[in-house]
Amino acid sequence: MSLTLVGSSEASEPPEASAAEPHRPTEPPEASANRAAGSRSHRDGAIDLIRFGCLVVVVILHSLMASAVLGADGEVVPTVALSGTVGFTIASWFYQIMPLFFFIGGYAAINGWRRTQATEGTWADYIRARLRRLVIPVAVLIGAAGLGLSIASEMGVPTGLLAEASTRIGQPLWFLAVYVGLTSLVPLAVHFHERAPRRSIAALAGAVIAVDTVVALTGVTGLGYLNFLFVWPLIQQFGFFYADAIHRPVRVGLAWTTMALALASLGVLVGLGVYSPDMLVNLNPPTGALVLLGVAQMSVLRLTHARLNEIVAGGRTGSERAREYRARSWQRIITWGNTYGIQVYLWHMPIVITLIGFLGFGANLAAGASFGDGVPAAGILLPEIESAWWWLTRLSWLLTVMVLAGALAMAMSKIPFPGEERLARFGQWIARVAGEIVGEIAGHRDSHPAGETRTGVRAAARQLRERLSTTVSRAIIAVALAMGGIAIALLIGIAPLIWTLVSVAALATSLVLAATMKAPESEKAAASEVPAASEAPADRARALASLG
């Protein structure tokens, strides 16, 4: 969900380490004006609050859907609650906030990238900082959860239950895998937005429609996964447009009309059977239904943005002291959400799974016992899904999950992690060791008459060094490793422990490579790898395209 899941608001944070960037070639006046607007230091309280609010919605939704019952043989059977009911389907039009998440992420991303450019930072600075903020919390989660499941296995927890826990922990990570990819493409996406905004939107929208049409005609739903390449980048582009328009007067009539048309179109397509009426079904794989829902959410935000900022600033009613108190209270909530939001998102499912495990253990102990008028004691701990008792206990269940997830999020954020300089030194040491090993192999080959083989080894080693010496290559590999490490936990799981080790190794290597992208102070005045102003615009476009 692209409420930018980072330690602080990307829309307002100063860029981290910067490197010199040559003067840019001539660009459209509107792009220059947009860049200047994006470079202004500001915090948008409404955006920060909505970002955190969306996280809370996700935690509530997952906590309500994750449940378990006690099987006939006393085994705890995990199950999904509510899904498929009429009420759940209707509610999905309101709680499906993924489009809003990615939309806000686009708004924050373009502001963050423009701020990086305004301070003479490069795309490498932008990507490096975002990778570090996203990858470290994920690596900690996967490592700790994988170790915990391994210990549980040694304690005799059933294999099936462990496999289910591994899957449930990994499921929320799909968003981060997509978001890492989108983050790496922000400089390129902004490049296209500033030079051909409408054509960029049209191309992505056309691709979404084409994929949905092919799926509808062939019935091959697997082809719908191609929309991961188009739906979320399209919604991100809407965020770019929103960032450009944020300081302009709100056209109320246009916003209401856009929202009505988007919802009406979505309703018609659902009625015709093109899309599922359950917006959660339209999430995996993503469909054009999410694009239309996102447009409606964007229109609502446009209509309410200014009012939300007034509220977080203390409102307009009451004494000055009361307004200041309300503003401080909102700011504490927003600051906490910006600081720990990603941790809450990552750790709420392990909390839910652990609580279900304890309740299942208690239900097993209480099996056969009764409470009051013959009510099974096991049913008190693991009630029948959607029964009256199940609904009565949901509030306490949600509060417990939220409090424990918040406490664990704060604790996990304190786990120390090596800084960028240390990781960069480690990466350089690894490169030297690898070079020495290759050199030894080449030297060994020198003592044998196989000259062609010796030459091939040397050429391969030299080519590898040259490729890894470029920032572009390291960035591409770092992003690929980050997405790959997350994908392992998502698609395979983190149990048995070997998959945890593979996933964490990929994520750690990604961080090491990202750290080596930071130019030393002595090199910041040197020419960057982005083409200089003297180069042709076509050359610059090709270089930017290589970032993808």
Side-chain angles (χ1 to χ4, degrees):
M1 329 167 168
S2 191
L3 295 188
T4 335
L5 294 182
V6 293
S8 59
S9 172
E10 284 187 26
S12 52
E13 67 193 0
E16 302 200 8
S18 62
E21 182 182 39
H23 184 272
R24 301 179 183 85
T26 303
E27 59 184 4
E30 62 272 17
S32 179
N34 291 336
R35 195 187 315 284
S39 68
R40 289 195 291 267
S41 177
H42 70 283
R43 295 198 67 91
D44 194 313
I47 294 296
D48 286 344
L49 182 61
I50 294 172
R51 175 187 294 118
F52 184 50
C54 286
L55 283 173
V56 173
V57 170
V58 172
V59 173
I60 291 174
L61 179 63
H62 288 174
S63 301
L64 285 175
M65 294 182 67
S67 193
V69 296
L70 203 60
D73 57 353
E75 183 182 358
V76 178
V77 181
T79 185
V80 178
L82 301 176
S83 181
T85 63
V86 175
F88 187 85
T89 298
I90 295 173
S92 70
W93 288 57
F94 299 93
Y95 67 67
Q96 178 52 277
I97 45 75
M98 279 296 181
L100 181 61
F101 226 37
F102 278 95
F103 167 74
I104 291 178
Y107 170 88
I110 193 170
N111 284 333
W113 171 234
R114 285 170 175 169
R115 187 167 296 104
T116 299
Q117 290 178 300
T119 55
E120 297 186 330
T122 65
W123 60 270
D125 298 316
Y126 180 86
I127 294 175
R128 189 192 72 253
R130 272 65 189 176
L131 277 179
R132 184 169 177 84
R133 289 189 181 123
L134 291 169
V135 172
I136 288 177
V138 179
V140 172
L141 167 75
I142 294 174
L147 181 60
L149 291 180
S150 180
I151 294 173
S153 177
E154 295 297 324
M155 294 175 63
V157 176
T159 304
L161 202 57
L162 289 175
E164 183 70 18
S166 174
T167 300
R168 294 289 181 90
I169 292 172
Q171 277 179 344
L173 297 181
W174 75 266
F175 159 71
L176 288 174
V178 173
Y179 190 67
V180 166
L182 282 180
T183 296
S184 68
L185 294 175
V186 163
L188 182 63
V190 174
H191 167 79
F192 285 120
H193 169 74
E194 291 182 339
R195 283 151 181 79
R198 291 179 178 82
R199 278 180 289 172
S200 299
I201 289 287
L204 290 169
V208 172
I209 294 171
V211 171
D212 285 351
T213 301
V214 171
V215 170
L217 293 176
T218 63
V220 182
T221 57
L223 293 174
Y225 287 97
L226 289 172
N227 263 338
F228 273 106
L229 303 175
F230 309 120
V231 167
W232 304 126
L234 174 57
I235 296 176
Q236 182 190 62
Q237 287 277 333
F238 289 152
F240 295 170
F241 274 90
Y242 193 88
D244 291 345
I246 194 64
H247 299 291
R248 302 171 191 164
V250 179
R251 299 170 65 181
V252 177
L254 178 61
W256 277 105
T257 302
T258 301
M259 179 182 65
L261 288 175
L263 291 177
S265 301
L266 180 55
V268 169
L269 292 171
V270 166
L272 293 174
V274 177
Y275 298 128
S276 169
D278 187 338
M279 291 299 115
L280 200 61
V281 173
N282 289 312
L283 180 64
N284 189 29
T287 67
L290 297 183
V291 176
L292 293 171
L293 187 62
V295 171
Q297 292 171 343
M298 175 182 66
S299 302
V300 173
L301 179 59
R302 184 65 171 142
L303 291 167
T304 59
H305 197 156
R307 179 57 183 153
L308 285 173
N309 270 324
E310 283 184 1
I311 291 173
V312 298
R316 293 177 288 184
T317 60
S319 64
E320 182 178 352
R321 183 175 181 179
R323 292 196 299 271
E324 289 179 356
Y325 176 78
R326 290 196 296 264
R328 286 196 300 270
S329 298
W330 281 117
Q331 190 56 49
R332 291 190 190 99
I333 294 172
I334 291 169
T335 300
W336 195 94
N338 283 337
T339 304
Y340 302 112
I342 185 174
Q343 300 285 358
V344 171
Y345 176 79
L346 291 172
W347 286 100
H348 74 278
M349 281 308 295
I351 290 291
V352 168
I353 291 167
T354 302
L355 287 175
I356 289 176
F358 277 119
L359 291 175
F361 179 74
N364 265 310
L365 293 179
S370 60
F371 182 82
D373 298 329
V375 177
I380 299 295
L381 294 173
L382 286 181
E384 182 182 351
I385 307 300
E386 297 185 57
S387 64
W389 179 244
W390 187 85
W391 280 111
L392 285 173
T393 57
R394 288 313 88 187
L395 179 59
S396 59
W397 167 257
L398 290 175
L399 289 175
T400 302
V401 171
M402 296 292 288
V403 170
L404 292 179
L408 188 59
M410 295 173 68
M412 289 300 171
S413 66
K414 301 299 188 293
I415 293 179
F417 205 89
E420 283 190 323
E421 292 185 2
R422 180 174 296 181
L423 289 176
R425 289 197 299 268
F426 178 73
Q428 292 163 1
W429 177 78
I430 289 293
R432 285 198 303 271
V433 170
E436 291 174 0
I437 292 175
V438 172
E440 287 292 331
I441 294 175
H444 177 71
R445 300 281 186 181
D446 283 340
S447 61
H448 295 78
E452 291 184 5
T453 302
R454 180 176 66 249
T455 303
V457 170
R458 286 178 173 174
R462 182 170 60 254
Q463 186 179 25
L464 179 62
R465 285 196 301 270
E466 290 174 353
R467 289 181 176 177
L468 290 179
S469 67
T470 67
T471 308
V472 173
S473 298
R474 277 176 285 168
I476 293 173
I477 297 172
V479 171
L481 286 171
M483 296 178 68
I486 297 173
I488 289 171
L490 171 63
L491 301 176
I492 302 177
I494 55 177
L497 188 60
I498 182 62
W499 293 118
T500 296
L501 298 177
V502 172
S503 177
V504 171
L507 294 171
T509 306
S510 170
L511 289 171
V512 170
L513 284 173
T516 62
M517 291 161 57
K518 182 177 181 179
E521 294 295 330
S522 59
E523 297 179 7
K524 285 190 176 182
S528 72
E529 295 185 44
V530 179
S534 58
E535 296 182 349
D539 295 332
R540 179 177 175 82
R542 282 194 294 271
L544 283 167
S546 70
L547 305 186

